[in-house]
Amino acid sequence: MALPSFRRHSAVALVVAVTLAGCSTAPPLSTAPAPPAPTTAPAPAPVPELRPGVPAGYLGRALPDSLALLPPPPAKGSPAFANDQAVHRAAQQLRRSPRYALATTDADLRFPQVANTFSCALGVPISQQTSPALYLLLQRTLVDAGLATYAAKDHYKRTRPFVFFKENTCAPADEASLRTDGSYPSGHTAISWAWALVLTELSPGQADALLARGRAFGENRLICNAHWQSDVLEGRAVAAGALAMLHANADFNRDMALARAEIQALRSNSVEPTGCDAEKAALAVKIPGVL
């Protein structure tokens, strides 16, 4: 499947930060300069780049086909759409809660800040400085999971809830481009669920906290008024498909091993994340009726 155009894809265009917003066709892969080779081992293979400083995903064009994988979104007037509307109303009641502040933070997919999303759940800080292999793993899987949603997004072009109800979102600066970016399925959810699954494999002792944080990240798109619940549910399906394909990729498996070693080293040195009390309080606020 060909990579989609990035010209108007803001939601997951934040995927590769502003670096991809403005490309009118699928960006060619370039190659980053290889680091100096150590005397005791050959130089690692260079990491492909979408643009200088922006690593490509692992899968290239071999992405799961979300259009083939997913059913159509709920039709207007259907019981499923009525449920989407009911969850929308419940989620919008949380605008003055601590969960809304977290949802606003989660809306921003730009690095380096988004790398820290799972630090509290993992129990160790995630950054380019403390865990460079894990940081790169998150960057590259973000691209794969995010782009995998676009076959369905571009086909269905589903209207987002803030447009449908003539409301606003938690990220006003993104609203103009979100209006022309399909709602179904949720790219943020595909990314966060893929990350949750990857991190659970790397650190199974923290599985419950990691999966809960990945779920909350996707559900925060309901609070932000950017997605319907059915968008979020099917975003997880796309993430699962992308991860299954990633397991057949040698570079992904190599980086998983490196990231696992980093996490173990940080944990053995008792390096802990900060700011977790506020996140815990926000996550305690639940969306009534969410599936």
Side-chain angles (χ1 to χ4, degrees):
M1 182 183 70
L3 290 179
S5 165
F6 289 94
R7 183 184 51 202
R8 58 182 176 75
H9 296 160
S10 77
V12 182
L14 288 174
V15 160
V16 250
V18 272
T19 48
L20 292 185
C23 296
S24 60
T25 58
L29 298 184
S30 61
T31 301
T39 56
T40 56
V47 176
E49 293 186 323
L50 294 169
R51 290 184 64 179
V54 182
Y58 295 98
L59 297 177
R61 291 168 172 77
L63 297 166
D65 184 351
S66 55
L67 182 58
L69 175 64
L70 306 181
K76 292 178 184 178
S78 68
F81 187 61
N83 184 70
D84 273 351
Q85 292 174 295
V87 172
H88 161 81
R89 290 190 292 270
Q92 294 313 293
Q93 297 303 309
L94 303 180
R95 282 179 173 261
R96 292 179 177 82
S97 73
R99 183 70 181 269
Y100 188 79
L102 182 64
T104 301
T105 299
D106 284 354
D108 189 349
L109 290 175
R110 291 175 295 179
F111 284 86
Q113 57 266 36
V114 74
N116 189 52
T117 298
F118 284 84
S119 291
C120 292
L122 185 62
V124 298
I126 304 172
S127 72
Q128 195 167 25
Q129 293 72 38
T130 61
S131 49
L134 178 56
Y135 186 91
L136 179 63
L137 182 71
L138 296 179
Q139 286 181 300
R140 298 191 70 180
T141 51
L142 177 149
V143 175
D144 290 325
L147 292 186
T149 64
Y150 271 95
K153 275 180 175 287
D154 286 344
H155 179 79
Y156 293 114
K157 302 184 190 304
R158 190 183 194 191
T159 301
R160 291 174 183 265
F162 81 92
V163 178
F164 185 88
F165 290 109
K166 297 180 174 58
E167 297 169 340
N168 56 15
T169 72
C170 68
D174 299 333
E175 288 176 12
S177 49
L178 284 174
R179 289 175 184 276
T180 56
D181 186 76
S183 186
Y184 179 86
S186 165
H188 278 69
T189 301
I191 291 163
S192 67
W193 196 243
W195 281 349
L197 295 174
V198 163
L199 290 166
T200 295
E201 289 191 39
L202 295 176
S203 188
Q206 286 66 47
D208 290 345
L210 291 166
L211 293 170
R213 184 66 179 96
R215 179 188 178 98
F217 191 106
E219 290 176 352
N220 280 346
R221 301 304 285 160
L222 306 174
I223 298 171
C224 273
N225 208 11
H227 281 288
W228 306 99
Q229 174 162 269
S230 51
D231 302 339
V232 170
L233 294 175
E234 298 300 352
R236 294 180 201 150
V238 175
L243 185 61
M245 296 177 74
L246 282 165
H247 276 297
N249 183 280
D251 291 340
F252 170 78
N253 290 319
R254 176 205 62 214
D255 289 350
M256 287 283 283
L258 294 172
R260 185 177 291 109
E262 285 181 344
I263 293 169
Q264 292 170 348
L266 288 167
R267 191 162 284 135
S268 66
N269 291 326
S270 301
V271 181
E272 297 182 354
T274 59
C276 296
D277 288 344
E279 180 177 292
K280 182 178 180 180
L283 293 174
V285 179
K286 306 299 182 182
I287 304 172
V290 74
L291 294 177

